[in-house]
Amino acid sequence: MFKFARTLGCIAFGLLFTRLCLAGTFVFTAIPDEDETRLKARFDQVATYLSKTLAVDVRYVPVKSYAAAVAAFRSDQVQLAWFGGLSGVQARRLVPNSQAIAQGEEDQSFKTYFIAHSSTGLKASPTLPKKIADLSFTFGSKGSTSGRLMPEFYLRKQFARSPEVLFKQVGFSGNHSRTLALVQAGAYQVGALNYKVWDNELKAGRIDSSKVSVIWETPTYPDYQWSIRGDVDAIWGEGFTAKVTEALLNMKDPALLAAFPRSAFVPASNSDYKPILNTARTIGIID
Amino acid sequence: MNAKSYPLPTSVVTSLLFIASALLCWIFADLSIVTRTPWQEFFRMAAGVFSPQWLPWPELLSALAKTLAFGLLAVALSALVGFLLCLYFHKRGVKLFCASIRAVHELFWGLLFIQLLGLHPAAGLLAIAIPYSGIFAKVFAEIIEESETESASSLPPASDKVSQFFYEKWPRIKAHFASYTLYRLECGLRSSTVLGFIGLPTLGFHLESGFMQGNYGLVTAMLIMLYVLIASIRVWARFRLMPLYAGVAAFYLWAPLNIDSTLVLSLVHDMSPLPLRNTQTEWWPWFSNLSSTQIFPGALNTLLITQIALVLTGVFSLISFPLLSKQFFPRPTRSLSHLLMVMLRSTPEIILAFVFLLLWGPSMLPAVLALAIHNGAITSHLLARHSNELELRLDASRGINRYLYEVLPRIYGQFLAFLCYRWEVIMRETAIVGILGIHTLGFYIDSAFESFRLDVAVLLIAVSALMNICVDEVARRTRRRLHLVKQPLVRAC
């Protein structure tokens, strides 16, 4: 029995020791938006790359929701995060001096696709068709820029009504892939999703174009970005923010970029996301 | 158990009242069916079921170990706290405190603690342990209450309270405490899985990932692990080993926690109502706007779904319990049905609801059915166990006559008691389907967290807790009216 207790003690000490060593670790996370399968394996590669380039310990922690990513950023459990447009704005409002430092090449002009089930008879058109009123409609996740914020903004702009009034039913599928699955099944008649997810699913052959098609695409807007806390320079040394930015901009390995998935990272700043903040204010997501 | 102890009229009247309220709700509820082209997605689901996709061993083992560790530690902790609380349960304040902490679903506790503690294991642990402590306190108090009526004190009148408890009461109630604690383990494992949906690194984490991406092979693999875990509880769970298990779990999950006081202060600030923080916002417009857009519709939808799901739960369990009962079927059939029921009651409701959503389109129907099947499977299991204890005459009729004239009248009172207990549970679980976009209070609470309006979230959580306490009280009175207060205890999540 005594031996057993000692063994347990050793294990406990071992665990304690490894945890303490991690205390100086630079931690990042990413919102769960793209392909989540093997997410950890793919982002661990990114952590290894950043570790080498920055010469500090870097670790990735997975999260399940936009809100959890923002909460972790706020409570300093992560210092760097790959946010969506809206979650980035929300996070930076909560953490003083935090900055957007880099965005994907594609994020400078991101867009949302409105899709419809074939039974609606809706076809691709240059404006949102009037006939979508009184159908059933699904957004993606509640905190998503491309799956919620921008589609809601354009719906309100064109119809001057809130989605709850405009449609017979309004759902939140949870993410872009679910939106596609539900509209393709006809469970919801119309939906809105991230254009990259649509393109990827189309390439993978998971879209049956006799059942679901794109009926409208939004004008472009800025979306995903890397945001970093304002106090990292004080902890990891002067110029650390600049070092992290450089490491992200120099990430050229396609295997690493595939984790996001983006073709390259380009510089970004807080002011790039002014339009997102204004839109969120307009539709009342941010007070 | 003879027919006299439950006067037939009362139980019939109660049933009719339940059914009438469900029918009334049916009128206001949207239960329309829209079927279009779900078959492609179902085909992918079926393909996934037949080709489970296993994670690499280290990840799988870690998810399994964490599911176990969170469940075990939380149940052990809450049994301990519940035990301490139950000793003071006769005090009104304690009773109210327990009722309010258990009225909040563990998902909401989880969302709150993620705000406070971020991704620290303590967030998940507290999310399960807090509501469970309230439940343990209530059930333990009921066990003590029942044991008291059984015999008079055999100790000298002058003996002190502590001796009275440990020499007189404890030996009699120990077995009940132990068996309830072990029973609660099943609920604990399920809760720790469900909390994976909001970020706990348990089986539910991968389950949600697979589900959200339409990777049904991964979903199947994770569900199989969960079924195995739950079905194997009786092999490894021993009351005496609980402290050891809990200790190992604590070592395994332990991580240093630094609480930043400025962060806590700013969160407390965020949780206080907006008019208190911002002088430009007036109390009444703020509250009336919230009432008309969120509180009232949310509460109404929650109530509609609860009442219909409650009656369907009853129907489901009355139809299915013979499959599990030795009064009706031989062992092979029963074993097979038992397996099916474990699957139905362990599969998280949100997955059932999604399948129905694909099939019938968006209305309250998917949510109602998902809740009814999940809860019906549990009630069915309990009813079957109860019916197994009946001693029928050797020449008792068989088949449908045995069901209608021998078994049903004898267990009907117990059936209503089970339903009364499920009432509160079903209402709490409407929270989960709220996340699918059916506008229950759970839906609005989730939205408030997503838009960082913690004051609104806290207010809505308080409203849903209040509704739960009301339903609990009505259920308690109904049981008393049915003379079901002194019935054997319900062991269910």
Side-chain angles (χ1 to χ4, degrees), chain B residues 27-39:
Chain B
I27 299 173
F28 295 103
D30 170 21
L31 296 166
S32 56
I33 295 179
V34 183
T35 318
R36 289 191 186 93
T37 49
W39 304 114

Side-chain angles (χ1 to χ4, degrees), chain B residues 294-295 298-299 302 439-446 460 463-464 467:
Chain B
Q294 303 190 19
I295 298 177
T302 301
H439 296 197
T440 58
L441 277 174
F443 170 84
Y444 292 110
I445 294 171
D446 181 58
L460 291 173
V463 172
S464 74
M467 282 179 73

Side-chain angles (χ1 to χ4, degrees), chain B residues 229-308:
Chain B
L229 206 57
I230 285 181
S232 71
I233 288 179
R234 57 174 100 172
V235 179
W236 52 263
R238 297 286 176 274
F239 189 62
R240 274 180 199 198
L241 291 178
M242 279 301 277
L244 178 71
Y245 286 152
V248 175
F251 277 127
Y252 180 57
L253 293 177
W254 191 83
L257 177 63
N258 331 308
I259 295 183
D260 178 359
S261 56
T262 50
L263 178 73
V264 173
L265 280 180
S266 68
L267 280 167
V268 171
H269 175 260
D270 287 0
M271 283 180 195
S272 53
L274 188 65
L276 205 65
R277 294 179 267 141
N278 184 343
T279 44
Q280 284 164 12
T281 318
E282 301 261 348
W283 278 97
W284 178 244
W286 178 77
F287 184 75
S288 75
N289 180 36
L290 268 182
S291 309
S292 64
T293 57
Q294 303 190 19
I295 298 177
F296 183 70
L300 183 71
N301 286 331
T302 301
L303 199 67
L304 294 181
I305 291 180
T306 306
Q307 292 310 104
I308 302 175

Side-chain angles (χ1 to χ4, degrees), chain B residues 128-399:
Chain B
I128 308 178
I130 289 179
Y132 278 29
S133 299
I135 298 171
F136 268 117
K138 177 189 167 187
V139 173
F140 284 171
E142 282 175 4
I143 293 175
I144 292 176
E145 197 183 320
E146 280 190 22
S147 75
E148 266 166 2
T149 55
E150 280 165 15
S151 71
S153 174
S154 48
L155 291 182
S159 45
D160 61 285
K161 283 225 159 180
V162 178
S163 320
Q164 267 178 23
F165 184 83
F166 279 103
Y167 286 100
E168 194 213 347
K169 286 183 188 163
W170 182 241
R172 260 187 287 132
I173 55 181
K174 196 177 96 182
H176 291 291
F177 273 33
S179 79
Y180 185 75
T181 306
L182 292 187
Y183 191 87
R184 204 74 213 159
L185 256 188
E186 177 177 333
C187 316
L189 293 181
R190 204 181 301 143
S191 294
S192 99
T193 305
V194 167
L195 284 175
F197 281 38
I198 58 167
L200 227 54
T202 59
L203 288 174
F205 189 94
H206 303 287
L207 185 60
E208 202 251 11
S209 299
F211 177 67
M212 278 308 199
Q213 297 300 319
N215 181 352
Y216 299 113
L218 182 61
V219 172
T220 308
M222 292 300 113
L223 284 177
I224 291 174
M225 296 310 295
L226 179 62
Y227 301 150
V228 169
L229 206 57
I230 285 181
S232 71
I233 288 179
R234 57 174 100 172
V235 179
W236 52 263
R238 297 286 176 274
F239 189 62
R240 274 180 199 198
L241 291 178
M242 279 301 277
L244 178 71
Y245 286 152
V248 175
F251 277 127
Y252 180 57
L253 293 177
W254 191 83
L257 177 63
N258 331 308
I259 295 183
D260 178 359
S261 56
T262 50
L263 178 73
V264 173
L265 280 180
S266 68
L267 280 167
V268 171
H269 175 260
D270 287 0
M271 283 180 195
S272 53
L274 188 65
L276 205 65
R277 294 179 267 141
N278 184 343
T279 44
Q280 284 164 12
T281 318
E282 301 261 348
W283 278 97
W284 178 244
W286 178 77
F287 184 75
S288 75
N289 180 36
L290 268 182
S291 309
S292 64
T293 57
Q294 303 190 19
I295 298 177
F296 183 70
L300 183 71
N301 286 331
T302 301
L303 199 67
L304 294 181
I305 291 180
T306 306
Q307 292 310 104
I308 302 175
L310 180 70
V311 169
L312 289 183
T313 298
V315 173
F316 181 90
S317 50
L318 282 183
I319 292 173
S320 62
F321 89 86
L323 287 171
L324 302 167
S325 166
K326 71 175 187 192
Q327 311 290 1
F328 297 95
F329 286 98
R331 185 174 278 277
T333 320
R334 290 200 322 260
S335 305
L336 212 65
S337 323
H338 185 70
L339 197 68
L340 178 71
M341 290 299 167
V342 167
M343 288 166 67
L344 286 182
R345 71 173 192 255
S346 314
T347 309
E349 294 96 320
I350 190 154
I351 290 185
L352 292 176
F354 184 79
V355 173
F356 296 137
L357 179 64
L358 277 176
L359 201 53
W360 295 312
S363 69
M364 287 182 185
L365 194 65
V368 164
L369 276 184
L371 287 171
I373 288 180
H374 173 80
N375 287 288
I378 293 172
T379 320
S380 175
H381 168 68
L382 297 169
L383 267 183
R385 281 218 321 220
H386 189 62
S387 76
N388 283 345
E389 286 161 18
L390 296 179
E391 300 244 349
L392 298 186
R393 285 163 47 144
L394 281 176
D395 62 348
S397 54
R398 313 215 149 258

Side-chain angles (χ1 to χ4, degrees), chain A residues 95-147:
Chain A
V95 180
N97 303 324
S98 53
Q99 310 172 36
I101 52 174
Q103 60 183 347
E105 175 86 50
E106 296 86 339
D107 294 303
Q108 303 170 81
S109 52
F110 216 77
K111 57 194 173 188
T112 296
Y113 283 162
F114 278 73
I115 57 173
H117 189 254
S118 54
S119 65
T120 58
L122 294 169
K123 294 272 169 315
S125 66
T127 55
L128 259 178
K130 284 214 171 53
K131 270 175 64 189
I132 67 171
D134 290 328
L135 298 181
S136 58
F137 176 85
T138 185
F139 290 112
S141 165
K142 287 170 186 164
S144 164
T145 310
S146 52

